[in-house]
Amino acid sequence: MSLVIGLKGRAETVVTDQNTAAAAGSGLVPVFATPWMVALMEHAAVDATAGCLSEGEGTVGTRLDITHDAATPIGMKVWAEAELTEINGKALTFSVVAYDESGLIGKGVHGRFIIAVDRFLAKAEKKREVR
């Protein structure tokens, strides 16, 4: 299977004490944290590309432009959906949306880049040599 416009992915979780704004340090209230919504959106985008990349390839997040429009309390299910909307060489663009059991909680655009995992990690490790 190859990457094509329209590929879709999904990720879901339940809001717990561990993924609230209070626990993440992104706020003081016990509701689903924006950083966790971002992670869920990224997970959905990764899921959309599952099985479509060559062996040894992966993707890394490069850009996010999202809104978090509604709070979700502890105990509710939340999920994110991603749809591949643009392929520009190794650059991928996704439309991302997040929902809870009551409706839409966030939306936006997410960019990812296809990488050769070994090369990417070797380049990251070279940063240790600069210190």
Side-chain angles (χ1 to χ4, degrees):
M1 187 173 179
S2 62
L3 290 172
V4 293
I5 301 298
L7 284 175
K8 293 181 181 178
R10 179 181 160 94
E12 69 177 57
T13 193
V14 173
V15 182
T16 67
D17 289 330
Q18 290 76 37
N19 59 13
T20 63
S26 64
L28 301 175
V29 290
V31 297
F32 193 53
T34 302
W36 283 101
M37 185 183 76
V38 166
L40 204 61
M41 289 172 161
E42 287 200 88
H43 186 166
V46 169
D47 181 63
T49 63
C52 297
L53 301 174
S54 298
E55 188 172 330
E57 287 185 328
T59 63
V60 292
T62 58
R63 179 173 59 100
L64 277 164
D65 182 7
I66 61 152
T67 61
H68 192 170
D69 304 314
T72 305
I74 291 172
M76 287 188 80
K77 181 171 80 170
V78 291
W79 66 93
E81 298 172 353
E83 181 175 355
L84 184 58
T85 58
E86 184 179 344
I87 303 169
N88 186 4
K90 293 186 177 213
L92 309 175
T93 303
F94 295 86
S95 169
V96 290
V97 291
Y99 301 93
D100 66 20
E101 297 168 80
S102 293
L104 183 73
I105 62 168
K107 61 187 173 299
V109 176
H110 175 42
R112 297 192 71 78
F113 196 81
I114 299 169
I115 53 127
V117 174
D118 289 344
R119 243 179 48 216
F120 180 86
L121 292 175
K123 185 177 178 182
E125 282 298 320
K126 284 189 180 203
K127 287 185 169 187
R128 293 181 194 279
E129 298 169 12
V130 180
R131 295 188 309 170

